[in-house]
């Protein structure tokens, strides 16, 4: 198999590692699970609760991540709202096939998935659908990129951005991983978000991460994540054509198949 003998680090949250680890293992890799972010509730639910109270005024809900779907629907359930009834008349946009899959697992229908699995492509899709003037609810991380809401507002849409979760850095013992990096035992480190990049480098040490990562391939799930890696002065070796963990695993395998 393409990845036999390769040791690959997974940095995504612990409760989201299993699927990716199984994929890499099926290709022959040995995985090192090293979660560098955890998902926590936002500092306040006030904005989300106000939006939920007037939920029928929205034409669209845009979910940009699996975490957004889970946190928002969990909040609806905590407020004793019936998901199907509450969201019945609202169109749903999901960025990414996995996000759409989680939406549908709640018995909800996805009306639009942009062809490119990144926020910027959503705006182009709404332009084609002729949606100026529509009211949009955007449940997302407490700290997120402003490109999408700015583009939607520029198009004439009314956008309410509500924090439904935040990414935090868990207490992590990095000694074993740093030893493996120093001993050049690690072949690839994978990143599935910019938060993973930032936290990983902070955990292994901002003073010497470059020396620790010498000779290590870096694999990123998307151009946005890759841009964050490059801002730290590192090269990106592997990016899939589509921004899913399945495609990331395939891209890593194809990279090593060349050798």
């Amino acid at each position: 198999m393409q990845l036999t003998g390769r040791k690959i680090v997974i940095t995504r949250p612990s409760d989201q590692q299993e699927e990716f680890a199984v994929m890499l293992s099926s290709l022959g890799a040995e995985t090192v699970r090293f979660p560098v972010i955890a998902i926590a509730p936002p500092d306040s639910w006030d904005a989300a609760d106000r939006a939920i109270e007037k939920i029928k005024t929205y034409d669209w809900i845009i979910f940009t991540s699996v975490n957004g779907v889970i946190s928002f629907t969990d909040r609806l359930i905590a407020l004793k709202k019936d998901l199907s009834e509450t969201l019945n008349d609202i169109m749903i946009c999901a960025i990414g096939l996995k996000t759409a899959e989680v939406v549908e697992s709640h018995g909800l229908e996805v009306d639009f998935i942009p062809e490119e699995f990144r926020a910027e492509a959503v705006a182009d899709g709404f332009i084609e659908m002729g949606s100026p003037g529509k009211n949009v609810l955007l449940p997302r991380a407490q700290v997120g990129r402003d490109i999408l809401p700015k583009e939607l507002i520029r198009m004439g849409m009314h956008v309410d951005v509500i924090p439904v979760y935040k990414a935090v850095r868990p207490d992590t013992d990095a000694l074993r991983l740093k030893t493996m990096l120093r001993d050049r035992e690690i072949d690839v480190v994978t990143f599935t978000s910019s938060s993973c990049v930032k936290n990983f480098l902070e955990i292994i040490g901002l003073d010497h991460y470059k020396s620790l990562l010498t000779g290590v391939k870096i694999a990123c799930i998307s151009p946005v994540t890759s841009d964050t890696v490059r801002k730290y002065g590192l090269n990106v070796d592997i990016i899939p054509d589509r921004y899913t963990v399945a495609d990331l695993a395939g891209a890593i395998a194809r990279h090593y198949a060349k050798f």
Side-chain angles (χ1 to χ4, degrees):
M1 291 184 282
Q2 298 99 315
L3 297 180
T4 299
R6 304 296 180 183
K7 196 170 289 185
I8 300 176
V9 177
I10 302 174
T11 59
R12 60 189 337 216
S14 57
D15 60 349
Q16 298 174 17
Q17 292 197 341
E18 183 65 20
E19 179 185 20
F20 193 26
V22 169
M23 290 174 183
L24 292 170
S25 297
S26 70
L27 294 166
E30 178 182 345
T31 58
V32 178
R33 302 190 188 202
F34 189 72
V36 296
I37 64 172
I39 303 303
D43 291 341
S44 170
W45 283 108
D46 289 350
D49 290 351
R50 285 196 298 271
I52 290 171
E53 284 303 309
K54 59 173 186 177
I55 195 73
K56 295 299 184 184
T57 67
Y58 294 104
D59 301 292
W60 282 90
I61 295 180
I62 300 176
F63 291 112
T64 60
S65 71
V66 168
N67 293 322
V69 178
I70 294 173
S71 299
F72 182 71
T73 52
D74 282 353
R75 187 60 181 172
L76 286 175
I77 293 169
L79 295 174
K80 302 188 185 307
K81 305 285 187 181
D82 180 89
L83 294 184
S84 297
E85 180 180 325
T86 302
L87 303 176
N88 183 43
D89 300 323
I90 305 172
M91 307 283 275
I92 295 177
C93 168
I95 298 181
L97 294 176
K98 189 65 180 179
T99 304
E101 182 182 309
V102 175
V103 170
E104 291 169 347
S105 74
H106 286 82
L108 303 170
E109 182 177 346
V110 175
D111 299 282
F112 173 53
I113 304 173
E115 292 185 5
E116 293 184 62
F117 300 158
R118 59 190 178 91
E120 290 85 343
V122 179
D124 294 336
F126 277 107
I127 290 174
E128 293 179 5
M129 290 186 287
S131 299
K134 300 294 185 181
N135 293 322
V136 176
L137 182 62
L138 184 58
R140 68 170 199 184
Q142 188 167 296
V143 177
R145 302 171 72 219
D146 291 329
I147 292 176
L148 177 58
K150 284 182 177 178
E151 281 298 302
L152 296 174
I153 291 169
R154 187 181 61 80
M155 292 165 47
M157 302 178 78
H158 309 289
V159 183
D160 284 342
V161 179
I162 57 169
V164 293
Y165 70 93
K166 63 180 179 182
V168 298
R169 197 173 77 186
D171 292 331
T172 304
D173 183 359
L175 179 60
R176 175 172 173 264
L177 179 65
K178 290 167 74 172
T179 299
M180 296 171 75
L181 288 168
R182 286 195 190 95
D183 292 343
R184 307 305 179 205
E185 295 179 9
I186 300 297
D187 296 288
V188 183
V189 175
T190 61
F191 296 116
T192 52
S193 72
S194 294
S195 296
C196 284
V197 177
K198 176 177 178 292
N199 286 0
F200 179 83
L201 298 181
E202 288 179 354
I203 289 171
I204 67 171
L206 291 177
D207 292 334
H208 46 268
Y209 67 83
K210 288 186 178 179
S211 62
L212 287 174
L213 292 172
T214 299
V216 176
K217 303 293 184 185
I218 294 180
C220 293
I221 198 167
S222 73
V224 172
T225 306
S226 301
D227 287 345
T228 304
V229 169
R230 295 189 181 101
K231 286 178 182 175
Y232 283 91
L234 297 169
N235 293 322
V236 176
D237 302 284
I238 302 164
I239 307 175
D241 294 331
R242 288 155 48 100
Y243 314 141
T244 70
V245 291
D247 289 290
L248 181 57
I252 296 170
R254 286 193 297 277
H255 175 85
Y256 281 104
K258 300 175 185 174
F259 300 101

